[in-house]
Amino acid sequence: MGRQGQGRRPAAAGSSSAAPRRRRPNTDHGQPTNAGRPPETGHSGAQAWRLGAGPQVVPRRGVPHPERVTRARNTTQRTAKGEVWTFGADYNGALGGGDASWLSSPRRVAAPIAAALAADGGAVAVAAGGTFAAARTAAGSVLVWGRLGPATPAAAPFARVALPRGVAVRGMAAGQQHLLMTDGARVWAVGRWLDAAGDEAGAACASAPCELLALPGGAGVARVAAGAHASAAVTDDGGLWLWGRLLDEQHGHGLLRRAGSAAASAGAPAPVDWRWAGFGGATPRRVEELGARVRDVALGGWHALVLTD
């Protein structure tokens, strides 16, 4: 049998003999698939990129997976060389420059951002918020781009967070409208953050970040975490500090009703202390009732997960 006939199924009786329809390449949005070729990593063919249901990084054996953070509509990732690449929906400049509103394959951030990152030794961590992204550099500085409340000037491609002289950021986390940063002793924020009731509790621009937490007794901050509108810090001694809007009384009662709570459905007050520090607030408070040493925390839109000893 000739080469053209290999692998072709015979047509069933009564079926159309027309050739099967060919799928059109996925180049409807942004750059064509070959325009999003990934950066070199020092290994030939170290990474492969696959499109279809959605862009995916397919690492080859022996090559570390680049750091990647994904929000609802876009993805920001860092390579082993300290470059930052993005794809997805470019809401308010969150993809870091360019003229495409949607990228179906990864593209390196615009030249001004890429040059600033390279000048500080490259990116060592990335974070993605609702309409912004950020990168922490090897020098301990933080660059933000997109829309982050008053943090990034509209006409500028990015903003450098002006932390106090000598401060090197060791960790950061992004919420919907705010970015947290820590040097291991204090926590700063830029953007806009809320209190437990959903009212604005504070705002800060990149040129004047707001110090939100300085632990008593010289205790250290091991890591920070951010939900949509909530923030948390885990301390070196296993403590947990939480603030912002995690769950307020109005929405809490609604959740209880939908969950089938008889007491809440009847209008009786639920046995919940809505003033508890674990539900958030305008300022950081220590959550005392966990009864174990905290190792890590993750915040969602309305809930928190805590890892303890």
Side-chain angles (χ1 to χ4, degrees):
M1 181 179 292
R3 182 181 299 269
Q4 293 181 351
Q6 293 181 358
R8 300 184 65 178
R9 295 181 179 178
S15 65
S16 173
S17 59
R21 296 176 60 185
R22 298 182 60 185
R23 297 183 64 183
R24 186 163 54 92
N26 183 18
T27 57
D28 293 344
H29 305 286
Q31 300 293 329
T33 55
N34 59 354
R37 187 176 180 179
E40 296 294 333
T41 62
H43 300 274
S44 177
Q47 296 175 352
W49 297 82
R50 183 174 62 207
L51 295 175
Q56 301 177 37
V57 182
V58 185
R60 300 283 179 86
R61 180 177 299 179
V63 179
H65 194 291
E67 180 188 15
R68 179 171 59 179
V69 288
T70 301
R71 299 296 292 189
R73 298 177 178 87
N74 54 57
T75 294
T76 303
Q77 64 184 34
R78 175 185 60 86
T79 71
K81 294 175 62 175
E83 298 175 346
V84 176
W85 290 60
T86 58
F87 58 90
D90 191 25
Y91 284 96
N92 296 281
L95 297 187
D99 55 358
S101 60
W102 174 272
L103 291 177
S104 60
S105 55
R107 185 174 69 181
R108 191 180 179 187
V109 293
I113 303 174
L117 292 172
D120 280 4
V124 297
V126 290
T131 55
F132 72 93
R136 176 169 63 92
T137 71
S141 61
V142 174
L143 274 60
V144 295
W145 57 90
R147 182 179 180 183
L148 179 56
T152 48
F158 70 94
R160 187 184 298 272
V161 180
L163 292 164
R165 183 181 298 274
V167 169
V169 174
R170 294 172 47 186
M172 64 180 183
Q176 181 71 15
Q177 302 178 64
H178 70 290
L179 177 72
L180 301 175
M181 299 155 288
T182 182
D183 64 346
R186 293 161 291 177
V187 177
W188 290 269
V190 293
R192 174 177 176 267
W193 52 98
L194 308 180
D195 61 15
D199 298 322
E200 183 173 304
C205 62
S207 61
C210 179
E211 181 179 314
L212 295 179
L213 180 63
L215 297 173
V221 177
R223 57 185 53 84
V224 289
H229 300 292
S231 303
V234 177
T235 63
D236 289 337
D237 61 357
L240 174 64
W241 292 70
L242 199 145
W243 64 99
R245 186 189 194 189
L246 186 63
L247 184 63
D248 60 275
E249 183 173 0
Q250 177 182 354
H251 288 85
H253 281 301
L255 292 173
L256 288 173
R257 283 194 297 270
R258 287 194 294 273
S261 169
S265 298
V272 176
D273 182 6
W274 297 108
R275 300 168 298 175
W276 180 49
F279 289 142
T283 58
R285 293 184 295 166
R286 185 175 177 121
V287 182
E288 301 284 0
E289 294 83 359
L290 295 174
R293 181 185 179 91
V294 175
R295 292 188 178 184
D296 203 356
V297 63
L299 302 177
W302 301 102
H303 66 289
L305 298 176
V306 180
L307 176 66
T308 64
D309 285 339

